[in-house]
Amino acid sequence: MLDPKLSPPDEGLIRADKAAAGWAVSQGLIPYERAVEIMEARVGAIAQGEAQELVWLVEHPPLYTAGVSAKPHDLLQPDRFPVHATGRGGQFTYHGPGQRVCYVMLDLTARKRDIRAFVSALESCVIVALQAFNVKGEIRPGRVGVWVPLRNTGGQTDEAKIAAIGVKVRRWVTFHGLSLNVEPDLEHFKGIVPCGISEHGVTSLVDLGVPVTMDEADHALRRSFEAAFGPLKTVAPPL
C-alpha cells in the first residue's frame, strides 16, 4: 500500500543535531486526562534536560476537546461525549477510535524558536505522509490543519479536513500536536463545529476510499517526521 517515493518535505523544517527523539505507540484507548498528565510531566522534564524528546502516538475513546479559542456555541451536543478543556491552541476538536493522535514533545531551543515554523512543519509532515497513499493534502491560508479536495455529485470541487493541529509550548518545549483521521466514525464530529469551521466537513483516509490500517499510517507518519525533525528511536510508550 505504501508508495516508497515520497516527495521531500518543504524547506525550512526544524531539525536538530542532537540525540534521536523517542517514537512511542500506545495500544488500546488511552484516557485523555491521563495522557495530558503524562505530557505535562514529560514537558517539564525535557525542559530541565532530564528526559528525551518524544513523539507519542495514541488513540482515545470518543471525546471532545476545547482549545483556548473555543466558542461555547460550537459545542452542538454537550451531553454526547465527555468534553475536556485544554490549554492547546485552536477550538473544538473530536478524538476517538480510528483517529491517530500524535503528541509531539520537542525542544525548540535545540531546533528553532519559531512556533509558526513548527506548526507549518507538522502540516508538512501530514502532507508528506498522505503522499504515501496517493492522497493530496493541502493547507489553506488562515486555517490551521490539512485539507483534501473533494468532487461532489454536481462535479464541483469542495474540500474537507483530514487532520487537525493544535499545539502548546512551555519553556520552548512543545506538546499536544496533531490528529489524523484514518478510520474514525465521522458522524461523531456532528456534536461540534470542528475547529470553528462550518462551511466544510471532515473526512478520513477510509472515507476517501483508501483502506489504510493504523500501522500503515504510523509508518508513513514516522518517515515524514524523521524527514522534518531528524532521527527517531523506538521507545516504550509512557502508558
Side-chain angles (χ1 to χ4, degrees):
M1 187 71 200
L2 289 174
D3 180 354
K5 297 179 180 179
L6 297 183
S7 298
D10 293 342
E11 294 294 328
L13 298 191
I14 305 170
R15 297 174 62 89
D17 296 324
K18 60 183 297 181
W23 178 270
V25 181
S26 286
Q27 302 300 317
L29 300 180
I30 302 302
Y32 181 78
E33 290 179 316
R34 182 67 181 124
V36 172
E37 289 174 359
I38 289 171
M39 278 196 292
E40 294 272 356
R42 185 68 174 237
V43 165
I46 292 171
Q48 293 290 338
E50 298 171 353
Q52 178 186 29
E53 296 177 301
L54 181 65
V55 180
W56 181 25
L57 278 62
V58 306
E59 288 179 84
H60 289 305
L63 59 94
Y64 298 127
T65 65
V68 295
S69 300
K71 300 175 177 61
H73 60 263
D74 284 342
L75 181 59
L76 305 178
Q77 299 175 14
D79 298 324
R80 184 168 190 179
F81 297 127
V83 181
H84 299 270
T86 179
R88 60 155 176 81
Q91 301 186 43
F92 280 104
T93 60
Y94 165 77
H95 294 317
Q99 182 190 70
R100 176 52 84 206
V101 177
C102 301
Y103 290 131
V104 185
M105 292 163 269
L106 298 178
D107 183 3
L108 295 187
T109 297
R111 297 166 182 275
K112 183 179 181 181
R113 290 190 176 191
D114 188 329
I115 298 172
R116 187 181 299 273
F118 172 68
V119 171
S120 179
L122 292 180
E123 290 173 332
S124 293
C125 283
V126 173
I127 290 169
V128 171
L130 291 175
Q131 290 172 9
F133 310 108
N134 296 314
V135 173
K136 183 181 181 182
E138 301 175 344
I139 58 173
R140 294 288 181 265
R143 293 192 236 150
V144 175
V146 178
W147 302 75
V148 294
L150 304 173
R151 188 168 295 277
N152 62 28
T153 54
Q156 297 178 327
T157 300
D158 196 358
E159 59 191 8
K161 194 168 192 175
I162 196 167
I165 293 173
V167 302
K168 185 174 181 179
V169 178
R170 179 179 299 151
R171 297 177 62 185
W172 291 108
V173 178
T174 68
F175 57 125
H176 294 279
L178 66 87
S179 58
L180 172 64
N181 295 333
V182 180
E183 191 180 5
D185 185 339
L186 296 181
E187 200 271 339
H188 288 177
F189 284 87
K190 293 181 180 179
I192 57 172
V193 178
C195 302
I197 298 173
S198 58
E199 308 95 283
H200 306 286
V202 293
T203 191
S204 69
L205 284 165
V206 171
D207 191 60
L208 292 171
V210 184
V212 175
T213 67
M214 194 66 77
D215 285 345
E216 288 174 323
D218 291 349
H219 181 60
L221 284 166
R222 178 163 182 165
R223 293 172 69 188
S224 66
F225 264 81
E226 287 186 319
F229 297 110
L232 296 166
K233 179 182 179 180
T234 300
V235 297
L239 183 64

